[in-house]
Amino acid sequence: MKNIIELKNLHKVYATGTHALKGIDLEIKEGEFCILLGLSGSGKSTLLRCLNRLIEPTSGDIIIDGIDVVAAKGKQLRYIRRKIAMIFQQFNLIRNLSSLTNVLTGKLGYSSLVHSLTFPQHKKDTKIALENLKRVGLKEFAEKRTRNLSGGQQQRVAIARALMQNPKVILADEPVASLDPATADSVMRYLGELNKKDNMTVICSLHFLSLARKYGTRVIALKDGKIVFDGTPKEIDEKRFKEIYGQDAEEVEIR
Amino acid sequence: MKKENKLKLNIQAILTDLLFWIYIFGCASFLMNHWFEKVIPNNFVVIFGIVVGLITFILGISVGRKVFLPTIKTDRKWHKTFWGWSVFFILLITFVVGWNLVEVDLYKLFAKFRNAGGIMGGIFNPNTDIFVLCLSALAETIYLALLATVFAIPLAFILSFFAARNLMPRTFLGNTVYIIVRTIATVFRSIEAIVWAIIFSVWVGIGPFAGMLALMIHSIASLTKLYSEQIENIDPGPVEAIKATGASTLQTWIFAVVPQIISPYLAFTIYRWDINVRMATIVGFVGGGGIGLLLLQQQQLLRWQNVGMIIWLIAIVVWIMDMVSAKVREKLQEM
């Protein structure tokens, strides 16, 4: 398998002086399901957002699918972004719009301005959007405003929006942190399915080891902006866990 | 850095003290002139102010020190301190000067009520014959307010995006555009609609068109500010999410920003129309046409019954507008 993501000596220093990433070197192969572990503030979100340049890295190289992300500008940056879908802890849907319109926004990277303003007229896009909603089990919610959906349903709409991008990589920033355990597992199941069936590479930050063991093929742990562990989920025992989360941490089980 | 800060605070304290005492002596000189017709030269006022200000600062008992350099013991009650008494004194002298400048005269207020008899009589006995004439002037006022609002909406809508800090990138170009739009909006807003009406009544002639232009300019400036504050308060999450799909900047604005602001925008706009109807009356007084102009004419002709009729109509329209706009805004909030 070839590397789909390569990071070399990636640094991020915020304007406030916080050194969030201190030289990350990382290679991720196509089709991996990477779990990012680490305390809040360890740099997980910053790392994920550097990958699609929602945050500008301070120095270092990012190569995704053979394209230099750091150097990309304008059209090329749009081209890279549409190949990298992102899922957020707070779902980040447009709450006043219907699920269908929210899913259609996943197509924005492919569409001209005029095309995107006339989405409802484009039968092909609408058809694909409905198929994606069906895939996450929400076809009958297409016309409903997303503000009226439950957390789990909103996150599934967000997954459908990601699917609309037809991405090679999915970045998930604590996608289940705002959900109850049962819903969390169902959302992770959808991500796992995309990883296995559609061969999408997933990088997902989490706090639950049980979910990491169930869905991850690889675990990368961050502490203070550095990688402190890189291996398989099975390798994380109590000692390693305490190294990542500090001596006082106790593993919380959710199934 | 500590040292620089201390120097800055000291300078602020001294300047405060100097201005404080120059102001007090200025007031004293005004009162001397007003009551005893004794003229105190201005440079005496300034010199006395500077001297007393410096002395109090050096002695460490001044207001400037109290505000900027908290070195004075703070547990003492204000009336046991020098700064406390000087603040009391400056408030007292300000009030006395104000009373004299405004020419407050309680005798006139109570003893000369008879002078207002004409207008009061007019209000309680309005001339209903001019009802139809008034209605046409009133329609002029309402429609000019409406047009001013309608024309202002698209311009303010577009400008507001450039006046929103969270949408303008922190590059040289982004900052420049932001500052220019913000500054123009602030300056235009701080010039009252009545001043704009004077300008436009000279420009395009007295009449409703001048009034419309005046209200439009003022509405653009103030809606731009209100709208852009609304944009600054949006949830940044969806903006991030739409950006991440590979959307262009314009697409991000349309899909992530606009849906979040549309209902507060409508609420503000209706509120603005409500304000514009009220301002249209005032603007009419200085050449903006409509009911305001009619009111001015009738008042100058001393036709108090007509004036009474007009006042009633204005009050009713403003009252109705107020209720309707409150109801609509309430409904929009629920949306």
Side-chain angles (χ1 to χ4, degrees):
Chain A
M1 280 287 186
K2 64 164 185 161
N3 287 336
I4 189 148
I5 297 174
E6 287 175 26
L7 304 180
K8 283 193 200 100
N9 199 20
L10 189 68
H11 282 268
K12 173 64 193 179
V13 184
Y14 285 104
T16 52
T18 313
H19 204 153
L21 297 177
K22 297 170 181 163
I24 303 285
D25 288 297
L26 188 61
E27 287 175 0
I28 293 172
K29 292 195 167 52
E30 203 167 2
E32 279 191 298
F33 197 119
C34 276
I35 304 286
L36 281 182
L37 291 181
L39 288 167
S40 305
S42 60
K44 301 187 302 288
S45 289
T46 307
L47 178 61
L48 286 171
R49 281 170 172 72
C50 279
L51 293 178
N52 59 1
R53 288 258 307 270
L54 284 181
I55 289 177
E56 294 293 330
T58 310
S59 68
D61 291 322
I62 304 171
I63 312 286
I64 296 182
D65 203 22
I67 301 170
D68 184 348
V69 176
V70 178
K73 275 184 190 155
K75 274 228 167 96
Q76 206 181 9
L77 183 60
R78 289 185 67 186
Y79 174 79
I80 294 169
R81 277 180 177 162
R82 71 193 199 194
K83 285 287 164 202
I84 311 169
M86 192 158 191
I87 291 165
F88 303 84
Q89 180 184 348
Q90 297 302 334
F91 327 127
N92 288 353
L93 300 173
I94 296 129
R95 295 161 55 80
N96 290 339
L97 300 180
S98 68
S99 308
L100 181 64
T101 315
N102 266 290
V103 176
L104 279 167
T105 59
K107 205 82 194 171
L108 284 174
Y110 292 87
S111 318
S112 69
L113 181 64
V114 178
H115 183 99
S116 59
L117 288 175
T118 53
F119 267 145
Q121 269 76 54
H122 296 275
K123 291 280 182 302
K124 207 176 131 205
D125 292 335
T126 312
K127 206 178 138 221
I128 300 171
L130 283 171
E131 272 166 21
N132 287 328
L133 271 175
K134 194 176 165 193
R135 201 167 162 187
V136 295
L138 292 173
K139 198 177 181 187
E140 61 275 29
F141 291 90
E143 296 304 327
K144 253 201 164 168
R145 283 197 205 185
T146 49
R147 59 155 27 147
N148 299 324
L149 303 183
S150 71
Q153 288 167 335
Q154 290 194 38
Q155 196 59 297
R156 277 145 65 197
V157 173
I159 291 176
R161 173 172 70 188
L163 274 174
M164 202 68 193
Q165 285 177 240
N166 197 15
K168 288 195 165 168
V169 179
I170 293 183
L171 308 174
D173 187 16
E174 300 194 16
V176 297
S178 317
L179 303 174
D180 63 71
T183 322
D185 191 70
S186 93
V187 164
M188 288 304 289
R189 211 161 43 233
Y190 281 111
L191 288 181
E193 191 192 301
L194 297 184
N195 173 247
K196 291 216 172 59
K197 274 195 191 157
D198 304 58
N199 198 33
M200 292 175 188
T201 311
V202 180
I203 307 171
C204 173
S205 61
L206 274 185
H207 284 305
F208 298 114
L209 262 186
S210 53
L211 289 174
R213 290 196 186 104
K214 194 168 170 188
Y215 296 100
T217 60
R218 181 178 172 187
V219 172
I220 295 158
L222 290 178
K223 192 176 183 182
D224 295 329
K226 286 181 189 148
I227 294 178
V228 292
F229 173 84
D230 186 350
T232 62
K234 280 179 198 152
E235 287 176 87
I236 298 199
D237 49 19
E238 188 150 338
K239 187 167 153 277
R240 286 259 160 74
F241 184 77
K242 291 207 168 177
E243 274 170 22
I244 301 166
Y245 280 97
Q247 287 305 319
D248 298 332
E250 285 292 331
E251 192 188 329
V252 183
E253 276 294 319
I254 71 154
R255 289 182 193 283
Chain B
M1 191 179 144
K2 263 267 161 80
K3 218 170 189 179
E4 271 174 35
N5 207 8
K6 200 162 182 198
L7 180 70
K8 195 179 140 200
L9 288 175
N10 266 301
I11 291 172
Q12 283 174 329
I14 292 182
L15 285 177
T16 309
D17 285 333
L18 296 187
L19 284 175
F20 190 92
W21 285 100
I22 291 172
Y23 174 75
I24 286 184
F25 282 108
C27 289
S29 129
F30 168 80
L31 291 176
M32 286 296 276
N33 194 4
H34 195 76
W35 287 334
F36 310 114
E37 290 176 6
K38 288 226 164 67
V39 178
I40 301 173
N42 285 342
N43 37 2
F44 268 53
V45 169
V46 175
I47 290 166
F48 270 127
I50 290 174
V51 170
V52 177
L54 277 180
I55 291 174
T56 57
F57 179 80
I58 291 163
L59 289 178
I61 52 176
S62 72
V63 177
R65 269 193 194 273
K66 172 67 189 167
V67 176
F68 294 102
L69 306 159
T71 47
I72 307 174
K73 278 184 196 136
T74 45
D75 50 354
R76 258 195 247 170
K77 289 260 161 42
W78 72 267
H79 53 81
K80 289 188 178 157
T81 59
F82 181 77
W83 66 262
W85 279 105
S86 29
V87 169
F88 175 77
F89 186 65
I90 203 171
L91 293 177
L92 183 73
I93 203 166
T94 299
F95 182 75
V96 173
V97 168
W99 182 283
N100 283 290
L101 270 181
V102 179
E103 297 171 21
V104 175
D105 191 338
L106 293 177
Y107 170 77
K108 277 187 193 163
L109 180 63
F110 293 111
K112 305 238 176 159
F113 178 73
R114 196 178 296 266
N115 290 353
I119 192 161
M120 286 298 169
I123 287 175
F124 289 110
N125 187 18
N127 177 11
T128 46
D129 292 345
I130 61 158
F131 183 71
V132 177
L133 177 71
C134 286
L135 275 191
S136 73
L138 204 54
E140 222 172 85
T141 296
I142 294 173
Y143 280 92
L144 90 81
L146 179 67
L147 277 195
T149 318
V150 168
F151 285 143
I153 293 169
L155 277 162
F157 183 86
I158 292 165
L159 284 175
S160 66
F161 284 77
F162 297 96
R165 185 66 271 187
N166 52 341
L167 294 189
M168 285 294 101
R170 288 184 188 270
T171 55
F172 178 72
L173 184 69
N175 285 333
T176 313
V177 170
Y178 169 80
I179 289 168
I180 289 176
V181 175
R182 269 275 149 132
T183 312
I184 293 179
T186 311
V187 170
F188 277 41
R189 205 163 43 89
S190 57
I191 300 173
E192 283 293 333
I194 194 163
V195 179
W196 288 112
I198 293 169
I199 294 171
F200 282 114
S201 65
V202 177
W203 189 338
V204 300
I206 288 176
F209 185 49
M212 197 278 284
L213 288 172
L215 288 182
M216 185 185 79
I217 295 281
H218 199 254
S219 300
I220 290 171
S222 94
L223 282 177
T224 299
K225 180 163 180 286
L226 285 173
Y227 285 176
S228 63
E229 272 164 12
Q230 208 56 46
I231 294 180
E232 284 169 355
N233 283 329
I234 62 167
D235 177 7
V239 178
E240 215 181 16
I242 296 296
K243 234 193 224 173
T245 64
S248 67
T249 306
L250 199 53
Q251 282 173 330
T252 310
W253 288 5
I254 293 169
F255 282 89
V257 181
V258 172
Q260 293 195 58
I261 53 177
I262 215 78
S263 94
Y265 268 37
L266 280 174
F268 278 137
T269 310
I270 289 165
Y271 184 46
R272 190 69 222 173
W273 182 31
D274 177 11
I275 294 174
N276 278 350
V277 170
R278 268 180 259 180
M279 292 221 296
T281 315
I282 309 296
V283 158
F285 257 81
V286 292
I291 194 89
L293 191 62
L294 191 64
L295 179 59
L296 180 71
Q297 287 163 352
Q298 298 304 312
Q299 184 248 319
Q300 281 169 346
L301 295 170
L302 308 181
R303 302 255 169 83
W304 298 118
Q305 284 190 317
N306 294 357
V307 170
M309 186 70 216
I310 295 167
I311 289 175
W312 275 110
L313 281 174
I314 292 174
I316 289 167
V317 167
V318 168
W319 179 62
I320 291 173
M321 284 294 303
D322 210 48
M323 280 209 317
V324 171
S325 100
K327 269 271 176 281
V328 174
R329 276 180 286 142
E330 203 176 288
K331 285 276 171 242
L332 281 170
Q333 296 240 305
E334 290 164 11
M335 256 169 71

PDB file of all heavy atoms in Angstrom, chain A residues 6 38 71 104 116 134-135 142 151 156 159 163 186 194 203 209 242-243 247 250:
ATOM      1  N   GLU A   6       1.846  12.090   4.071  1.00  0.00           N
ATOM      2  CA  GLU A   6       3.211  12.152   4.600  1.00  0.00           C
ATOM      3  C   GLU A   6       3.427  13.513   5.257  1.00  0.00           C
ATOM      4  O   GLU A   6       3.238  14.552   4.631  1.00  0.00           O
ATOM      5  CB  GLU A   6       4.227  11.971   3.463  1.00  0.00           C
ATOM      6  CG  GLU A   6       4.304  10.554   2.941  1.00  0.00           C
ATOM      7  CD  GLU A   6       5.231  10.445   1.741  1.00  0.00           C
ATOM      8  OE1 GLU A   6       6.155  11.276   1.613  1.00  0.00           O
ATOM      9  OE2 GLU A   6       5.003   9.524   0.924  1.00  0.00           O
ATOM     10  N   GLY A  38      -4.888  11.380  22.984  1.00  0.00           N
ATOM     11  CA  GLY A  38      -4.146  12.446  23.652  1.00  0.00           C
ATOM     12  C   GLY A  38      -5.088  13.361  24.414  1.00  0.00           C
ATOM     13  O   GLY A  38      -6.271  13.458  24.083  1.00  0.00           O
ATOM     14  N   ALA A  71       2.041  24.155  -0.111  1.00  0.00           N
ATOM     15  CA  ALA A  71       2.289  25.114  -1.192  1.00  0.00           C
ATOM     16  C   ALA A  71       1.020  25.458  -1.974  1.00  0.00           C
ATOM     17  O   ALA A  71       1.011  26.423  -2.735  1.00  0.00           O
ATOM     18  CB  ALA A  71       3.339  24.549  -2.137  1.00  0.00           C
ATOM     19  N   LEU A 104     -25.889  18.448   0.208  1.00  0.00           N
ATOM     20  CA  LEU A 104     -25.464  19.011  -1.083  1.00  0.00           C
ATOM     21  C   LEU A 104     -24.253  19.933  -0.950  1.00  0.00           C
ATOM     22  O   LEU A 104     -23.447  20.053  -1.883  1.00  0.00           O
ATOM     23  CB  LEU A 104     -26.628  19.768  -1.723  1.00  0.00           C
ATOM     24  CG  LEU A 104     -27.651  18.889  -2.457  1.00  0.00           C
ATOM     25  CD1 LEU A 104     -28.908  19.679  -2.766  1.00  0.00           C
ATOM     26  CD2 LEU A 104     -27.053  18.329  -3.734  1.00  0.00           C
ATOM     27  N   SER A 116     -23.765  25.965  -7.801  1.00  0.00           N
ATOM     28  CA  SER A 116     -24.098  25.715  -6.406  1.00  0.00           C
ATOM     29  C   SER A 116     -25.343  26.492  -5.969  1.00  0.00           C
ATOM     30  O   SER A 116     -26.056  26.068  -5.073  1.00  0.00           O
ATOM     31  CB  SER A 116     -22.913  26.051  -5.498  1.00  0.00           C
ATOM     32  OG  SER A 116     -22.534  27.393  -5.652  1.00  0.00           O
ATOM     33  N   LYS A 134     -29.602   8.026   2.395  1.00  0.00           N
ATOM     34  CA  LYS A 134     -30.143   6.685   2.577  1.00  0.00           C
ATOM     35  C   LYS A 134     -29.088   5.776   3.220  1.00  0.00           C
ATOM     36  O   LYS A 134     -29.374   4.974   4.089  1.00  0.00           O
ATOM     37  CB  LYS A 134     -30.558   6.134   1.213  1.00  0.00           C
ATOM     38  CG  LYS A 134     -31.430   4.899   1.284  1.00  0.00           C
ATOM     39  CD  LYS A 134     -31.863   4.499  -0.111  1.00  0.00           C
ATOM     40  CE  LYS A 134     -32.426   3.078  -0.104  1.00  0.00           C
ATOM     41  NZ  LYS A 134     -32.570   2.566  -1.472  1.00  0.00           N
ATOM     42  N   ARG A 135     -27.871   5.990   2.787  1.00  0.00           N
ATOM     43  CA  ARG A 135     -26.788   5.162   3.295  1.00  0.00           C
ATOM     44  C   ARG A 135     -26.593   5.321   4.795  1.00  0.00           C
ATOM     45  O   ARG A 135     -26.229   4.379   5.490  1.00  0.00           O
ATOM     46  CB  ARG A 135     -25.500   5.536   2.564  1.00  0.00           C
ATOM     47  CG  ARG A 135     -24.502   4.432   2.645  1.00  0.00           C
ATOM     48  CD  ARG A 135     -23.366   4.600   1.724  1.00  0.00           C
ATOM     49  NE  ARG A 135     -22.313   3.708   2.215  1.00  0.00           N
ATOM     50  CZ  ARG A 135     -21.098   3.667   1.753  1.00  0.00           C
ATOM     51  NH1 ARG A 135     -20.744   4.456   0.774  1.00  0.00           N
ATOM     52  NH2 ARG A 135     -20.219   2.844   2.260  1.00  0.00           N
ATOM     53  N   ALA A 142     -34.810  13.931   4.782  1.00  0.00           N
ATOM     54  CA  ALA A 142     -34.190  14.815   3.793  1.00  0.00           C
ATOM     55  C   ALA A 142     -34.688  16.251   3.859  1.00  0.00           C
ATOM     56  O   ALA A 142     -33.905  17.188   3.769  1.00  0.00           O
ATOM     57  CB  ALA A 142     -34.395  14.247   2.390  1.00  0.00           C
ATOM     58  N   GLY A 151     -28.577  14.567  18.103  1.00  0.00           N
ATOM     59  CA  GLY A 151     -27.130  14.655  17.883  1.00  0.00           C
ATOM     60  C   GLY A 151     -26.606  13.584  16.946  1.00  0.00           C
ATOM     61  O   GLY A 151     -25.858  13.857  16.011  1.00  0.00           O
ATOM     62  N   ARG A 156     -24.758  11.925  11.476  1.00  0.00           N
ATOM     63  CA  ARG A 156     -24.902  11.084  10.288  1.00  0.00           C
ATOM     64  C   ARG A 156     -25.128  11.950   9.046  1.00  0.00           C
ATOM     65  O   ARG A 156     -24.624  11.622   7.959  1.00  0.00           O
ATOM     66  CB  ARG A 156     -26.027  10.078  10.484  1.00  0.00           C
ATOM     67  CG  ARG A 156     -25.522   8.849  11.252  1.00  0.00           C
ATOM     68  CD  ARG A 156     -26.539   8.262  12.174  1.00  0.00           C
ATOM     69  NE  ARG A 156     -27.690   7.708  11.475  1.00  0.00           N
ATOM     70  CZ  ARG A 156     -28.860   7.437  12.065  1.00  0.00           C
ATOM     71  NH1 ARG A 156     -29.017   7.695  13.353  1.00  0.00           N
ATOM     72  NH2 ARG A 156     -29.851   6.923  11.376  1.00  0.00           N
ATOM     73  N   ILE A 159     -21.860  12.951   8.030  1.00  0.00           N
ATOM     74  CA  ILE A 159     -21.146  11.883   7.311  1.00  0.00           C
ATOM     75  C   ILE A 159     -21.618  11.835   5.853  1.00  0.00           C
ATOM     76  O   ILE A 159     -20.816  11.679   4.929  1.00  0.00           O
ATOM     77  CB  ILE A 159     -21.357  10.521   8.013  1.00  0.00           C
ATOM     78  CG1 ILE A 159     -20.623  10.532   9.359  1.00  0.00           C
ATOM     79  CG2 ILE A 159     -20.842   9.372   7.145  1.00  0.00           C
ATOM     80  CD1 ILE A 159     -20.828   9.294  10.196  1.00  0.00           C
ATOM     81  N   LEU A 163     -19.510  12.182   2.491  1.00  0.00           N
ATOM     82  CA  LEU A 163     -19.568  11.222   1.382  1.00  0.00           C
ATOM     83  C   LEU A 163     -19.758  11.917   0.041  1.00  0.00           C
ATOM     84  O   LEU A 163     -19.254  11.491  -0.989  1.00  0.00           O
ATOM     85  CB  LEU A 163     -20.734  10.258   1.594  1.00  0.00           C
ATOM     86  CG  LEU A 163     -20.448   9.031   2.449  1.00  0.00           C
ATOM     87  CD1 LEU A 163     -21.726   8.260   2.675  1.00  0.00           C
ATOM     88  CD2 LEU A 163     -19.422   8.167   1.742  1.00  0.00           C
ATOM     89  N   SER A 186     -22.669   3.749  16.916  1.00  0.00           N
ATOM     90  CA  SER A 186     -23.266   3.653  15.581  1.00  0.00           C
ATOM     91  C   SER A 186     -22.579   4.620  14.609  1.00  0.00           C
ATOM     92  O   SER A 186     -22.358   4.275  13.448  1.00  0.00           O
ATOM     93  CB  SER A 186     -24.775   3.899  15.657  1.00  0.00           C
ATOM     94  OG  SER A 186     -25.068   5.252  15.440  1.00  0.00           O
ATOM     95  N   LEU A 194     -17.105   2.969   5.917  1.00  0.00           N
ATOM     96  CA  LEU A 194     -16.485   3.750   4.842  1.00  0.00           C
ATOM     97  C   LEU A 194     -15.021   3.347   4.670  1.00  0.00           C
ATOM     98  O   LEU A 194     -14.502   3.294   3.561  1.00  0.00           O
ATOM     99  CB  LEU A 194     -16.550   5.246   5.155  1.00  0.00           C
ATOM    100  CG  LEU A 194     -17.934   5.852   5.269  1.00  0.00           C
ATOM    101  CD1 LEU A 194     -17.833   7.351   5.493  1.00  0.00           C
ATOM    102  CD2 LEU A 194     -18.740   5.571   4.016  1.00  0.00           C
ATOM    103  N   ILE A 203      -8.751   9.312   9.703  1.00  0.00           N
ATOM    104  CA  ILE A 203      -7.954   9.737  10.853  1.00  0.00           C
ATOM    105  C   ILE A 203      -8.934  10.347  11.842  1.00  0.00           C
ATOM    106  O   ILE A 203      -9.602  11.334  11.527  1.00  0.00           O
ATOM    107  CB  ILE A 203      -6.893  10.783  10.470  1.00  0.00           C
ATOM    108  CG1 ILE A 203      -6.063  10.247   9.301  1.00  0.00           C
ATOM    109  CG2 ILE A 203      -5.994  11.087  11.649  1.00  0.00           C
ATOM    110  CD1 ILE A 203      -5.153  11.275   8.714  1.00  0.00           C
ATOM    111  N   LEU A 209     -10.729   4.306  24.588  1.00  0.00           N
ATOM    112  CA  LEU A 209      -9.873   3.224  24.118  1.00  0.00           C
ATOM    113  C   LEU A 209     -10.678   2.063  23.551  1.00  0.00           C
ATOM    114  O   LEU A 209     -10.261   1.401  22.602  1.00  0.00           O
ATOM    115  CB  LEU A 209      -9.020   2.718  25.278  1.00  0.00           C
ATOM    116  CG  LEU A 209      -7.608   3.269  25.344  1.00  0.00           C
ATOM    117  CD1 LEU A 209      -6.831   2.566  26.442  1.00  0.00           C
ATOM    118  CD2 LEU A 209      -6.902   3.087  24.000  1.00  0.00           C
ATOM    119  N   LYS A 242      -1.252   5.296  30.730  1.00  0.00           N
ATOM    120  CA  LYS A 242      -0.882   6.315  31.717  1.00  0.00           C
ATOM    121  C   LYS A 242       0.192   7.257  31.197  1.00  0.00           C
ATOM    122  O   LYS A 242       0.264   8.415  31.597  1.00  0.00           O
ATOM    123  CB  LYS A 242      -0.437   5.642  33.018  1.00  0.00           C
ATOM    124  CG  LYS A 242      -1.612   4.979  33.708  1.00  0.00           C
ATOM    125  CD  LYS A 242      -1.455   4.863  35.194  1.00  0.00           C
ATOM    126  CE  LYS A 242      -2.785   4.479  35.732  1.00  0.00           C
ATOM    127  NZ  LYS A 242      -3.145   4.203  36.952  1.00  0.00           N
ATOM    128  N   GLU A 243       1.018   6.723  30.322  1.00  0.00           N
ATOM    129  CA  GLU A 243       2.028   7.602  29.714  1.00  0.00           C
ATOM    130  C   GLU A 243       1.367   8.696  28.887  1.00  0.00           C
ATOM    131  O   GLU A 243       1.815   9.834  28.857  1.00  0.00           O
ATOM    132  CB  GLU A 243       2.954   6.784  28.807  1.00  0.00           C
ATOM    133  CG  GLU A 243       4.134   6.150  29.545  1.00  0.00           C
ATOM    134  CD  GLU A 243       4.866   5.175  28.643  1.00  0.00           C
ATOM    135  OE1 GLU A 243       4.753   5.300  27.398  1.00  0.00           O
ATOM    136  OE2 GLU A 243       5.519   4.294  29.196  1.00  0.00           O
ATOM    137  N   GLN A 247      -0.512  10.056  35.009  1.00  0.00           N
ATOM    138  CA  GLN A 247      -0.530   8.978  36.014  1.00  0.00           C
ATOM    139  C   GLN A 247      -1.890   8.783  36.675  1.00  0.00           C
ATOM    140  O   GLN A 247      -2.217   7.702  37.135  1.00  0.00           O
ATOM    141  CB  GLN A 247       0.540   9.247  37.080  1.00  0.00           C
ATOM    142  CG  GLN A 247       1.957   9.025  36.608  1.00  0.00           C
ATOM    143  CD  GLN A 247       2.171   7.620  36.036  1.00  0.00           C
ATOM    144  OE1 GLN A 247       1.683   6.635  36.562  1.00  0.00           O
ATOM    145  NE2 GLN A 247       2.900   7.538  34.924  1.00  0.00           N
ATOM    146  N   GLU A 250      -7.645   6.939  34.587  1.00  0.00           N
ATOM    147  CA  GLU A 250      -8.231   5.612  34.645  1.00  0.00           C
ATOM    148  C   GLU A 250      -8.988   5.394  33.348  1.00  0.00           C
ATOM    149  O   GLU A 250      -9.678   6.301  32.867  1.00  0.00           O
ATOM    150  CB  GLU A 250      -9.217   5.503  35.823  1.00  0.00           C
ATOM    151  CG  GLU A 250      -8.571   5.396  37.186  1.00  0.00           C
ATOM    152  CD  GLU A 250      -7.827   4.079  37.374  1.00  0.00           C
ATOM    153  OE1 GLU A 250      -8.226   3.070  36.753  1.00  0.00           O
ATOM    154  OE2 GLU A 250      -6.839   4.080  38.134  1.00  0.00           O
TER     155      GLU A 250
END
